[in-house]
């Protein structure tokens, strides 16, 4: 019998990537079904869900948000997000049903904490092309509105592909020259930031290490390095917030990236569960939960 967290993560991924399947503005019914699943799952946990809706290429799209409120004496926020759309032609198990599954289970694991800082969890829409980078990404719409509200977001975590792990030598690739400094086995989780978020990266890595023995690697890098800015953290960097991508390194490790073969059976749910437990523990530290 698989441990309960491992089972739950697999159920979420199978729901999103098998039952619903490819989900984006070209398939709006599937996109809405994914949003409804997130909404229903959080609702069953007792959360009040807020939606930020907007028009994207003629398709109504929604970012979904819940909060575990912090002490009224501080407005500080730690935000965790994952995008629930998938790229055209892919059911998107690792990219990014895995990140959404983690987001849903973090909400379950931390439902009863009493934090000083507010913990905000957001499911973002429209991360994938044609919206990525220059279009109306869900996270871009969200981060821009947060900046206008003057939200005091001290850290944003982008959960971007969390399901692929391998102990096989040579299973991990990197941009040029980086292989000299990092392991060649893809059995770790990566924490990646831009240079301005280096302090937040160090703080988060310390909190994760205190909460889990799962191996991790960190990288603070110029955004020009391929892959460093390729997720929702980019939207928050652009608004001046410190943000970190949590990732299995995507195409540097996962051979099914953006392919029709990115299916639920390709993921390692046991290792993914260990990562999610570590993330929940680190977040409890960062929001100063009692």
């Amino acid at each position: 019998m698989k441990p309960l967290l491992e089972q739950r993560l697999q159920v979420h991924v199978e729901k999103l990537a098998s039952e619903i399947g490819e989900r984006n503005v070209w398939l709006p019914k599937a996109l809405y079904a994914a949003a409804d699943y997130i909404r229903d799952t959080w609702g069953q946990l007792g959360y009040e869900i807020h939606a930020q809706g907007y028009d994207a290429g003629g398709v109504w799209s929604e970012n979904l948000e819940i909060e575990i409120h912090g002490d009224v004496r501080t407005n500080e926020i730690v935000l965790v997000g994952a995008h629930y759309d998938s790229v055209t032609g892919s059911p998107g198990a690792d990219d990014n049903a895995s990140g959404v599954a983690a987001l849903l289970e973090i909400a379950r694991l931390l439902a009863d904490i009493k934090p000083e800082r507010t913990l905000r969890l957001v499911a973002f829409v429209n991360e994938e092309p044609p919206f990525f980078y220059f279009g109306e990404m869900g996270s871009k719409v969200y981060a821009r509105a947060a900046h206008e509200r003057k939200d005091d977001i001290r850290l944003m975590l982008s959960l971007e592909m969390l399901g692929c792990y391998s102990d096989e030598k040579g299973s991990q690739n990197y941009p040029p020259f980086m292989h000299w400094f990092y392991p060649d086995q893809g059995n770790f989780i990566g924490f990646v930031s831009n240079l301005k978020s280096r302090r937040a990266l160090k703080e988060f890595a310390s909190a994760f290490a205190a909460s889990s023995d799962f191996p991790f690697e960190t990288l603070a890098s110029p955004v020009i390095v391929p892959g460093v800015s390729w997720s929702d953290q980019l939207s928050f960097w652009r608004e001046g917030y410190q943000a970190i991508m949590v990732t299995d390194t995507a195409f540097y490790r996962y051979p099914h990236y953006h392919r029709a073969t990115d299916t639920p059976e390709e993921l390692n749910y046991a290792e993914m569960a260990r990562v999610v437990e570590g993330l929940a523990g680190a977040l409890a530290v960062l929001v100063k939960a009692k």
Side-chain angles (χ1 to χ4, degrees):
M1 177 72 73
K2 293 180 179 179
L4 190 54
L5 177 57
E6 184 180 341
Q7 291 180 50
R8 285 173 170 160
L9 290 168
Q10 186 167 354
V11 166
H12 296 319
V13 172
E14 289 178 347
K15 175 69 177 185
L16 292 165
S18 288
E19 185 174 331
I20 296 173
E22 180 184 339
R23 50 205 178 275
N24 47 54
V25 292
W26 314 117
L27 296 168
K29 288 185 179 179
L31 192 65
Y32 299 156
D36 286 344
Y37 180 70
I38 295 165
R39 189 182 280 108
D40 291 345
T41 302
W42 277 342
Q44 290 170 17
L45 293 172
Y47 287 102
E48 181 178 353
I49 298 98
H50 299 279
Q52 179 193 43
Y54 69 101
D55 183 276
V59 176
W60 185 249
S61 302
E62 290 184 321
N63 295 318
L64 303 174
E65 169 193 285
I66 61 172
E67 285 189 338
I68 301 174
H69 295 285
D71 194 304
V72 295
R73 292 169 293 183
T74 179
N75 294 319
E76 295 178 0
I77 298 164
V78 174
L79 188 150
V80 187
H83 72 89
Y84 63 89
D85 61 313
S86 71
V87 72
T88 302
S90 175
D94 201 21
D95 187 14
N96 191 32
S98 66
V100 175
L103 194 70
L104 296 175
E105 287 307 304
I106 286 169
R108 186 188 304 274
L109 290 168
L110 298 182
D112 296 325
I113 65 169
K114 300 187 185 311
E116 289 185 19
R117 291 171 163 172
T118 289
L119 178 62
R120 184 180 293 175
L121 306 181
V122 186
F124 295 118
V125 71
N126 298 339
E127 187 265 0
E128 299 287 4
F131 304 104
F132 181 72
Y133 219 85
F134 298 112
E136 289 300 283
M137 292 172 67
S139 59
K140 176 183 174 183
V141 172
Y142 188 96
R144 186 169 53 204
H147 181 78
E148 291 172 355
R149 291 192 302 262
K150 295 182 170 54
D151 286 358
D152 189 8
I153 299 170
R154 293 306 176 97
L155 174 64
M156 183 271 179
L157 290 184
S158 174
L159 307 181
E160 178 63 59
M161 303 183 63
L162 306 181
C164 178
Y165 304 93
S166 175
D167 289 323
E168 183 179 345
K169 289 188 178 298
S171 57
Q172 183 66 53
N173 297 300
Y174 299 97
F177 307 112
M178 287 180 58
H179 67 280
W180 297 109
F181 306 101
Y182 292 94
D184 69 349
Q185 295 170 283
N187 58 2
F188 60 88
I189 190 70
F191 305 143
V192 181
S193 80
N194 63 350
L195 295 176
K196 290 184 178 179
S197 302
R198 283 175 293 186
R199 182 176 297 178
L201 176 64
K202 183 177 180 180
E203 182 182 5
F204 175 74
S206 295
F208 186 88
S211 306
S212 174
D213 61 358
F214 196 86
F216 66 87
E217 298 290 339
T218 64
L219 173 67
S221 168
V223 298
I224 194 172
V225 174
V228 165
S229 64
W230 292 6
S231 193
D232 292 306
Q233 73 278 2
L234 172 65
S235 299
F236 289 80
W237 291 342
R238 285 173 165 171
E239 298 297 336
Y241 292 116
Q242 295 196 78
I244 298 166
M245 176 171 58
V246 180
T247 181
D248 64 16
T249 75
F251 56 91
Y252 290 114
R253 178 188 306 174
Y254 189 55
H256 307 285
Y257 174 74
H258 280 191
R259 295 184 178 181
T261 52
D262 182 11
T263 54
E265 61 270 20
E266 299 298 335
L267 304 193
N268 185 328
Y269 297 99
E271 298 295 78
M272 186 176 162
R274 292 178 63 199
V275 170
V276 171
E277 286 179 331
L279 293 174
L283 288 165
V285 170
L286 293 174
V287 298
K288 304 175 184 177
K290 299 175 183 177

